[in-house]
Amino acid sequence: MRKIIKILALTFLVGLSYLSFGQNESNAKTAGINTSPAKKIDFGLRGGVGIANITGSKDADENRKFCLCPQLGVYTGFTLNEKLQLQPELKYVRKGYNYFFKNRTETKEKYRASYLDIPISLQYKTNESFFIKGGFYLGFLLGASHVINDHKNTSTDYLNGTTFGLCVGSGIQTKSGMDFGITIDKGLSAVYSNNYKKYNFQIMLSVGIKLNKIKK
C-alpha cells in the first residue's frame, strides 16, 4: 500500500507541475509574449467500483460469483484533435471472485488480488458530452489474499506478477470537468503461473474529476 501511495503522489506532483506550467504560460500571454500553438493536456482523479470475476474458456463452475472491488487512480489526457484524446491512467485496482458450494460440507472461498494497473486508451468524443474509448492495460501484482473457509493464504507464488488485457468503455463528460463512465477489462494473460488458464474480467463504474486544463 505504501508503494501505491508513493506512486500516486508522484503522479499527482507531476500534474501540479503541469498546472504551474499552464499558469506561467497564461501569465506570459497576459504580458504579450507569444506562445506555441495550443494543445490541451488534462489531469485528474478517477475512482469507482468494479464487478470482478475470473473466467476461462473451460470454466463451467456456476458457483464462482462476481465480487465488488474498489479502484482509485489518476489520469492524464493528451488532446490530439477535437474528437480524439490519448489517455494514460495509473490506478490501484482490486480483482477477484467469491465462491460458495454446499453439499455434505459447506465451502466458502474468497479471493482478492491487488494490482497497479496502467491502462492506455484512445478516447473518441461523439459529441460534446458522450465518448467511447478503447485500448489496453498492463497490470503489476501488489499482493493477494485467498481464504477458504477459515484458512487464509497470502502467498503470491502461484500468481503471475504481471498481466495485460484489453479495455473498452464509454461515458459522459460534463462541462464542469466531471466524467461518469463504464469500462470492461478483459485479461489476455493468465492469472495463475501454472497451466491453469484463468483470466481477470471486470466491469468498472467510475467517476472522474478534471483538476486542470492546460494549453501547451
Side-chain angles (χ1 to χ4, degrees), residues 85-128:
Q85 186 178 74
L86 183 65
Q87 197 170 100
E89 295 183 60
L90 181 68
K91 60 182 180 180
Y92 169 79
V93 183
R94 295 201 75 187
K95 304 178 184 182
Y97 64 85
N98 293 327
Y99 180 94
F100 178 79
F101 179 77
K102 186 175 182 180
N103 194 354
R104 292 183 178 180
T105 59
E106 184 177 275
T107 301
K108 292 182 180 180
E109 183 179 352
K110 180 180 178 181
Y111 167 77
R112 298 290 186 275
S114 300
Y115 288 89
L116 183 67
D117 276 6
I118 305 177
I120 300 178
S121 60
L122 190 62
Q123 182 173 292
Y124 176 78
K125 295 181 67 174
T126 61
N127 53 43
E128 291 185 359

Side-chain angles (χ1 to χ4, degrees), residues 21-39 214-216:
F21 177 82
Q23 183 63 41
N24 291 337
E25 186 173 14
S26 177
N27 294 337
K29 289 182 178 179
T30 303
I33 301 174
N34 290 329
T35 56
S36 59
K39 184 178 181 181
I214 309 169
K215 289 187 177 181
K216 184 176 179 181

Side-chain angles (χ1 to χ4, degrees), residues 13-65:
L13 290 175
V14 172
L16 290 181
S17 68
Y18 279 137
L19 182 59
S20 176
F21 177 82
Q23 183 63 41
N24 291 337
E25 186 173 14
S26 177
N27 294 337
K29 289 182 178 179
T30 303
I33 301 174
N34 290 329
T35 56
S36 59
K39 184 178 181 181
K40 291 182 180 178
I41 301 176
D42 300 327
F43 176 79
L45 303 176
R46 184 172 289 140
V49 62
I51 306 171
N53 204 340
I54 287 183
T55 62
S57 59
K58 297 180 180 180
D59 190 359
D61 194 344
E62 298 179 354
N63 297 305
R64 184 176 287 112
K65 305 297 182 182

Side-chain angles (χ1 to χ4, degrees), residues 25 71 153 193:
E25 186 173 14
Q71 59 166 316
N153 179 21
S193 57

Side-chain angles (χ1 to χ4, degrees), residues 117-154:
D117 276 6
I118 305 177
I120 300 178
S121 60
L122 190 62
Q123 182 173 292
Y124 176 78
K125 295 181 67 174
T126 61
N127 53 43
E128 291 185 359
S129 58
F130 186 77
F131 65 86
I132 57 176
K133 64 180 181 179
F136 66 92
Y137 73 88
L138 182 65
F140 298 92
L141 181 67
L142 300 175
S145 173
H146 195 182
V147 180
I148 301 178
N149 293 334
D150 296 328
H151 303 283
K152 184 176 182 179
N153 179 21
T154 58

